[in-house]
Amino acid sequence: MENIIKILLAEDNPADVSMIREMLEQGDFELSCAECLSETLQQTDKAPYDLILLNPDLPDSQGCDTFCRLHEHARHIPVVILSKSEDIELALKTIRKGAQDFLVMGKTDGDILSRAIHYAIERHSARLLYSEDASRTKNEFLASMSHEIRTPISGIIGMTEMMLDTDTEKKQREDLEIIKNSAMSLLTIINDILDFSKIEADRMELLCEDFDFASLMDIIIRSFIVQSKAKGVDLRLNIMPDVPRHLHGDPHRLRQILNNLISNALKFTEKGEVVLEIGKLTQADSSVTLLFSVRDTGIGIPENRLPDLFQSFCQIPNSCSKACSGTGLGLAISKKLVEMMGGNIWAESREGQGSIFYFVSQFEAVTKDEAESPDKTEHTDRNPGKIPLLSVLLAEDEIVNQKFISYFLEREGHSVFVASDGKEVLSALNISKFDLILMDVNMPGMGGLEATKTIRNAEQSHNSHHIPIIALTAYAMNGDRERFIEAGMDDYVSKPVSRETLKAVIASVMNSHERISEPSPVISGKKVLNREDLLRRCGGDQKIIERCYTIFAADIGNHKKQFEIAIEDKNIEAVRQHGHRLKGASANIGAETCNIFAAKIEEAAMERDLKQIRMLYFRLEKELTNVQSLLEQEHQYD
């Protein structure tokens, strides 16, 4: 009984069923029967079939529509049409729609039918393999293009935000806002195309977690406040009292759906209001079904176009300007997401009077104790509080991204050292200790994933402290997050990098990791300021010590400035001279850690290694600051 071909016959005529059984009884076939299309659809859900023999004229469906409905429901099963009539037009239509063959009952015998079945299965298998290869190629292309397009967009948005952060004239600010909004619109289009690709490949997934529902709704509404005020449109949120505050579901996809609906409502509303309202439909045990509605007083939609709203690439013609156009994918994506969340979506509208978009979605209610559990991470708690100033290693090969990400971090008071690839990251870690690494995934030479794995392996081998690593990535395809986490990264930020998102993710990661002060291997056992040694060398003369400290402290700023100018100008000889001078000065006052790094900078300059010089100066600058702070705290000089 090996290699049995399981066939489902959709046929309502008992005589034809008997005839087909006789045709197939000599072959390696197992035949099951259904008398109508609805029964056929049910059967395909219950058992695996290798092929379907379909009479297109069944009691509950006739003609090409019969095949189309079956094919839409069970695309994975090849279909051979067994028609009562020699209908050429029907044959052409069904073959074009995806049927593997078209046979006429009166002109088909057992041999013909058997060959048709085997050929149909072979062709279908070949098409599936080709389709899988094509899908894989398309996904690889989209991932690559996403990275290549997101990287320059990240630079445009980041540099624009940097300029908006400075004092600019009103006209310049308006122009910069236009640039930023245009870049964000392009990013939305890219995201829609990627999501649509996932839907087509049936690879869209939900990532469920506990979250604060009310806070999430507030965040969503606040993100549109500026846009609504600019248009003079009231934007309101109304959550019914019986809606649970703490839920379990996918807050990111829920936000995507609501962002799309609210964005559309504001886009097509010139006056009046846009209202987001949420109510509870049902609750059984922990399962909660919520009804969402987004109502606007905009231009409305013609009634005859409502059935097309949620089709891919659907754009309803209207009097709105081209500024209101888009990909036509947003609602199609929202429909798929809502269905994945156990609900459905629909719209009501009157042209000229506004529209209401409804959708129903299912969640799990989270009890108060569960919500407050320290093991639970809520969606709105990614930035639970102010974090201390950090020493950050930024691994990024794009110069523009280096510039604006460093700017954002330094504005927050963090110190930043930049590495251009994975090897520079490892070299920097050998010289200095960092509180956090921001790691670009795609860098030349050693990439971010390989560098992260190397760091984690070293930590495990030496039983050393886990340094948090956040991925910076322009990748946005399915499975990317899993790859990053598997490599040892703690979280990731998708490019273009948003300042607020970056702050939130850093806060989330750092608050979940204990900062442990570990001496760098380069300075282990050395003191920032060895006062005892200086006291011994000065014969216990306090006045000489205070004089030495005063002179050194007054010159710290000048040391830093000279180093920075020389490094910026790539003047290696000047760097060597400054290193030699500081090596002697720091030794004189017992600034042991400064002395070590000044000496190493002098050695690196003699080898003309500018990358090593930059890494060492990053640490030297911190040590000089430590010395200055220590002197100030001990009030050793005026």
Side-chain angles (χ1 to χ4, degrees):
M1 294 294 291
E2 295 182 359
N3 299 322
I4 296 296
I5 297 175
K6 296 182 178 181
I7 297 173
L8 176 59
L9 172 62
E11 174 59 70
D12 64 317
N13 189 319
D16 288 336
V17 171
S18 297
M19 186 185 304
I20 293 168
R21 282 191 184 279
E22 290 179 10
M23 292 181 188
L24 299 177
E25 65 181 2
Q26 300 301 320
D28 48 353
F29 307 110
E30 180 183 301
L31 191 65
S32 301
C33 297
E35 296 183 353
C36 60
L37 180 60
S38 59
E39 185 182 351
T40 303
L41 300 179
Q42 291 174 7
Q43 290 272 53
T44 60
D45 292 334
K46 293 178 180 178
Y49 291 99
D50 300 305
L51 182 131
I52 299 173
L53 295 174
L54 176 67
N55 173 8
D57 295 314
L58 295 171
D60 55 348
S61 184
Q62 288 79 43
C64 187
D65 185 57
T66 306
F67 169 75
C68 290
R69 290 169 62 188
L70 174 61
H71 188 54
E72 182 68 27
H73 186 81
R75 288 180 178 271
H76 59 289
I77 307 175
V79 178
V80 171
I81 305 294
L82 271 177
S83 176
K84 301 285 197 306
S85 61
E86 198 170 340
D87 188 334
I88 301 300
E89 184 179 352
L90 178 61
L92 290 173
K93 282 184 178 180
T94 52
I95 293 296
R96 285 170 183 164
K97 294 288 185 180
Q100 295 297 320
D101 208 340
F102 187 97
L103 303 177
V104 180
M105 278 292 293
K107 298 184 176 181
T108 301
D109 59 21
D111 289 339
I112 294 174
L113 182 57
S114 178
R115 285 198 301 270
I117 290 170
H118 283 95
Y119 290 156
I121 292 173
E122 289 176 8
R123 283 196 300 271
H124 185 71
S125 298
R127 285 183 182 179
L128 284 179
L129 288 174
Y130 174 80
S131 176
E132 288 173 1
D133 288 341
S135 178
R136 190 181 306 110
T137 302
K138 181 181 73 174
N139 286 335
E140 290 172 356
F141 171 79
L142 286 172
S144 176
M145 286 301 97
S146 168
H147 180 273
E148 295 303 321
I149 295 172
R150 280 171 176 267
T151 298
I153 290 177
S154 181
I156 293 169
I157 294 174
M159 294 302 292
T160 304
E161 288 185 345
M162 274 183 61
M163 295 177 71
L164 285 169
D165 218 20
T166 62
D167 293 331
T168 54
E169 297 178 2
K170 182 179 178 182
K171 180 64 169 62
Q172 292 174 324
R173 182 165 290 275
E174 289 174 353
D175 292 344
L176 289 170
E177 290 288 358
I178 290 172
I179 294 171
K180 181 182 175 182
N181 291 337
S182 297
M184 294 301 294
S185 296
L186 181 56
L187 181 64
T188 299
I189 292 172
I190 294 168
N191 289 337
D192 281 351
I193 292 171
L194 289 172
D195 280 343
F196 184 69
S197 171
K198 293 176 188 176
I199 289 171
E200 278 194 319
D202 198 27
R203 292 182 178 177
M204 183 74 83
E205 295 179 355
L206 298 179
L207 298 175
C208 295
E209 60 186 77
D210 293 351
F211 65 99
D212 186 321
F213 179 79
S215 296
L216 176 61
M217 295 303 103
D218 183 60
I219 290 169
I220 291 171
I221 288 296
R222 282 193 283 110
S223 69
F224 287 98
I225 289 294
V226 174
Q227 183 181 347
S228 65
K229 285 185 175 180
K231 297 193 73 172
V233 175
D234 290 333
L235 180 61
R236 294 192 290 112
L237 169 65
N238 186 17
I239 303 176
M240 296 295 109
D242 59 348
V243 174
R245 182 180 182 95
H246 298 286
L247 297 174
H248 182 82
D250 190 331
H252 312 286
R253 291 305 185 185
L254 176 59
R255 182 172 185 172
Q256 183 178 350
I257 297 164
L258 289 171
N259 279 347
N260 182 265
L261 296 180
I262 296 171
S263 176
N264 283 345
L266 287 171
K267 185 189 299 183
F268 296 108
T269 302
E270 295 301 322
K271 60 181 180 179
E273 63 180 9
V274 172
V275 181
L276 169 60
E277 188 165 288
I278 306 104
K280 184 174 74 175
L281 284 183
T282 62
Q283 182 166 359
D285 296 326
S286 62
S287 179
V288 180
T289 302
L290 300 182
L291 173 64
F292 297 78
S293 67
V294 176
R295 173 171 55 84
D296 66 64
T297 55
I299 60 176
I301 302 165
E303 188 175 350
N304 65 334
R305 298 307 305 272
L306 287 174
D308 302 326
L309 271 182
F310 300 98
Q311 300 299 314
S312 303
F313 306 104
C314 174
Q315 292 178 314
I316 306 300
N318 54 65
S319 58
C320 192
S321 69
K322 282 189 177 181
C324 293
S325 62
T327 60
L329 291 173
L331 289 177
I333 293 168
S334 295
K335 180 176 184 291
K336 177 62 177 177
L337 292 175
V338 169
E339 290 172 349
M340 291 175 65
M341 297 167 75
N344 60 306
I345 186 169
W346 70 97
E348 297 175 359
S349 183
R350 287 191 178 183
E351 196 168 5
Q353 297 184 28
S355 306
I356 309 177
F357 281 78
Y358 298 94
F359 71 92
V360 173
S361 189
Q362 294 182 357
F363 302 91
E364 294 293 317
V366 179
T367 65
K368 184 177 180 180
D369 290 341
E370 289 176 323
E372 293 175 352
S373 168
D375 296 330
K376 300 289 184 179
T377 301
E378 292 189 353
H379 176 72
T380 54
D381 282 343
R382 296 198 78 177
N383 192 6
K386 185 175 178 62
I387 58 174
L389 300 185
L390 304 172
S391 174
V392 181
L393 176 55
L394 170 61
E396 169 63 64
D397 63 305
E398 290 287 338
I399 295 176
V400 174
N401 290 342
Q402 291 177 358
K403 187 171 184 179
F404 77 79
I405 294 174
S406 295
Y407 174 81
F408 290 161
L409 293 169
E410 287 168 352
R411 287 274 294 186
E412 296 296 318
H414 307 304
S415 60
V416 183
F417 178 77
V418 177
S420 297
D421 58 40
K423 289 184 177 179
E424 289 189 16
V425 169
L426 301 181
S427 297
L429 290 173
N430 286 330
I431 293 171
S432 185
K433 175 185 174 293
F434 295 91
D435 300 308
L436 173 70
I437 301 175
L438 299 180
M439 185 85 77
D440 184 22
V441 172
N442 189 35
M443 294 183 289
M446 180 183 285
L449 295 180
E450 184 181 353
T452 299
K453 289 177 181 177
T454 303
I455 292 167
R456 296 303 183 223
N457 288 338
E459 289 173 349
Q460 190 171 15
S461 299
H462 299 94
N463 195 26
S464 56
H465 176 55
H466 175 100
I467 179 170
I469 300 177
I470 297 173
L472 300 176
T473 175
Y475 291 103
M477 295 300 289
N478 193 45
D480 288 336
R481 183 180 186 278
E482 290 73 16
R483 287 196 302 120
F484 304 151
I485 300 302
E486 184 180 350
M489 293 172 167
D490 297 272
D491 208 332
Y492 80 103
V493 175
S494 182
K495 295 178 182 177
V497 176
S498 158
R499 176 169 19 187
E500 293 306 315
T501 301
L502 184 60
K503 284 173 60 179
V505 174
I506 289 175
S508 173
V509 169
M510 294 310 298
N511 281 302
S512 64
H513 284 81
E514 182 182 359
R515 293 180 72 195
I516 299 177
S517 179
E518 292 181 343
S520 167
V522 175
I523 59 171
S524 180
K526 298 297 181 179
K527 294 182 178 181
V528 174
L529 197 63
N530 193 336
R531 195 172 187 279
E532 294 77 12
D533 179 64
L534 180 59
L535 189 65
R536 179 183 55 78
R537 287 188 283 114
C538 292
D541 193 326
Q542 292 286 350
K543 289 184 178 181
I544 296 177
I545 292 174
E546 290 177 10
R547 179 63 178 162
C548 290
Y549 283 167
T550 300
I551 294 171
F552 188 85
D555 210 27
I556 285 178
N558 185 47
H559 281 304
K560 289 181 180 180
K561 185 175 181 180
Q562 289 178 339
F563 269 116
E564 288 164 5
I565 292 173
I567 292 171
E568 182 68 24
D569 293 342
K570 300 180 182 179
N571 189 336
I572 303 294
E573 177 57 25
V575 171
R576 187 196 65 76
Q577 291 175 8
H578 296 322
H580 181 77
R581 190 180 307 119
L582 182 59
K583 179 177 69 173
S586 57
N588 286 338
I589 69 160
E592 295 177 345
T593 55
C594 281
N595 176 261
I596 288 174
F597 286 105
K600 287 187 172 294
I601 285 178
E602 183 183 16
E603 292 172 8
M606 293 174 68
E607 296 175 3
R608 307 193 66 79
D609 189 341
L610 189 58
K611 285 185 178 180
Q612 186 77 350
I613 288 170
R614 285 192 171 119
M615 291 179 192
L616 289 165
Y617 177 69
F618 176 80
R619 184 57 191 271
L620 174 62
E621 193 272 338
K622 290 171 62 177
E623 295 304 327
L624 284 169
T625 301
N626 290 339
V627 171
Q628 190 168 28
S629 298
L630 191 57
L631 292 175
E632 289 174 352
Q633 290 170 10
E634 294 185 1
H635 304 287
Q636 295 295 325
Y637 66 96
D638 295 331

